[in-house]
Amino acid sequence: METTESVVAELNVALGTEYRVVRQLTGGFQSGAYELTDGVVLKWSGDPDWAARVRRADELVRRARAVGYPTPAWLAVGTTAAGSPYQLQEFVSGTPVRDYSVVDEGLARELIAVCELQRGLVPEPGISWSAWSRGVVLEGWDGVWERVSRYDGETVELLRRYEEVCRPYRDVDLPDDDLVHGDLNLGNVIVGDGRVAGIVDIEAAGAGSRAYDLVSLAASAARDGAADGVDELFVEAALRAGGRAVVALCAGAAYASIAEFVHDRIGSPELIEYGGRRVLELLDA
């Protein structure tokens, strides 16, 4: 079975480097990041099926950085002999957001400007967050909606409300040419001197509408305790970027996905429900 140490050892042989593990970086539920020597970060996954997604993200990272999007450069991408995908990234100086109350109006507007850089970066067809959002909410893709509908309490009630909000948009075409980070929550923001220093965990990047990331930031701001009014700023920006149909479908799909993720692993269902409910309130405002 592969370990981070064995992956690093294999990379050192393949790349002619002498990296050593310094520490595991904090943050994120889904995959670990490890600081190595020489100002490098390693991320890897034991899922071989993730390799194609990582290779695609490598190209999208280059496009994003070319227009000033503040995600760290990827230095090397590949798979181990066992098929595990990896990427080596530059280390970003700064501090991951942990006290979410520091995300005030100024920082929120800076994040909105960052999302605007994603406009039109993926004109060709491919992995689509817009198609996924529509599919999850309206067509039962991956069985996510059905599984979450079997939960109890407010989770199911919120799912019903999202279904009602999204139903009128069954025939609406969603934009599909923006870059979408796909997991843009406040925990994936690095700050330095009160400014955005980096956006990390971009391996799930694909095409779609940047509204997906903006509405994800809104839900994160609500549930994680950002300054008052920040969630509203993100929803307003999402509506400007994609319109009500796009925001509703993206918000519904994102809510169902994170509700299932937290239900099956770790986290606070109450906070997830609060974030989902707050986005619905702002959509109805």
Side-chain angles (χ1 to χ4, degrees):
M1 180 177 178
E2 288 182 304
T3 64
T4 298
E5 287 71 20
S6 70
V7 170
V8 171
E10 185 173 335
L11 296 186
N12 282 335
V13 172
L15 302 175
T17 52
E18 296 182 353
Y19 295 131
R20 300 185 308 279
V21 178
V22 175
R23 59 178 174 137
Q24 183 172 4
L25 298 173
T26 59
F29 290 138
Q30 298 189 61
S31 58
Y34 298 84
E35 182 183 356
L36 307 183
T37 49
D38 299 331
V40 173
V41 171
L42 165 68
K43 295 198 72 175
W44 71 281
S45 169
D47 180 6
D49 293 338
W50 194 240
R53 196 69 179 262
V54 171
R55 288 193 296 270
R56 177 58 171 159
D58 182 35
E59 166 61 24
L60 297 182
V61 165
R62 285 196 290 270
R63 294 186 196 181
R65 286 179 54 82
V67 299
Y69 190 85
T71 198
W74 287 20
L75 308 174
V77 174
T79 56
T80 66
S84 297
Y86 67 83
Q87 78 258 195
L88 295 175
Q89 309 175 12
E90 288 182 340
F91 183 83
V92 178
S93 297
T95 305
V97 175
R98 294 296 174 264
D99 175 7
Y100 298 103
S101 65
V102 304
V103 183
D104 57 10
E105 179 179 343
L107 198 59
R109 293 194 183 279
E110 189 175 351
L111 284 167
I112 290 167
V114 166
C115 289
E116 285 303 303
L117 296 173
Q118 301 169 210
R119 182 199 299 260
L121 287 184
V122 194
E124 71 278 3
I127 297 167
S128 170
W129 283 94
S130 286
W132 179 82
S133 296
R134 172 193 289 281
V136 166
V137 178
L138 299 176
E139 301 172 20
W141 280 21
D142 301 330
V144 175
W145 205 266
E146 181 181 358
R147 288 192 296 272
V148 176
S149 70
R150 300 192 194 111
Y151 299 168
D152 53 19
E154 188 176 9
T155 297
V156 176
E157 174 59 21
L158 285 171
L159 207 68
R160 184 193 63 78
R161 290 176 61 190
Y162 272 112
E163 191 169 19
E164 289 180 353
V165 168
C166 294
R167 190 178 298 121
Y169 306 123
R170 180 171 295 277
D171 297 325
V172 175
D173 291 329
L174 273 61
D176 209 26
D177 61 351
D178 293 345
L179 171 71
V180 177
H181 179 291
D183 188 22
L184 190 49
N185 61 77
L186 297 182
N188 285 335
V189 177
I190 309 295
V191 296
D193 297 325
R195 303 291 302 277
V196 176
I199 303 291
V200 297
D201 285 358
I202 198 171
E203 298 94 296
S209 170
R210 62 194 184 281
Y212 186 96
D213 287 338
L214 287 161
V215 80
S216 295
L217 283 169
S220 176
R223 68 176 180 260
D224 294 328
D228 289 346
V230 165
D231 51 4
E232 186 171 359
L233 290 175
F234 286 134
V235 169
E236 290 172 351
L239 289 167
R240 290 194 300 271
R244 182 178 170 81
V246 173
V247 172
L249 286 163
C250 289
Y255 173 72
S257 178
I258 195 169
E260 181 175 47
F261 179 79
V262 170
H263 183 271
D264 290 346
R265 294 173 179 83
I266 56 177
S268 170
E270 293 79 14
L271 289 177
I272 300 303
E273 290 163 357
Y274 178 76
R277 183 171 67 252
R278 177 62 176 159
V279 169
L280 279 169
E281 291 171 354
L282 290 171
L283 274 175
D284 290 337

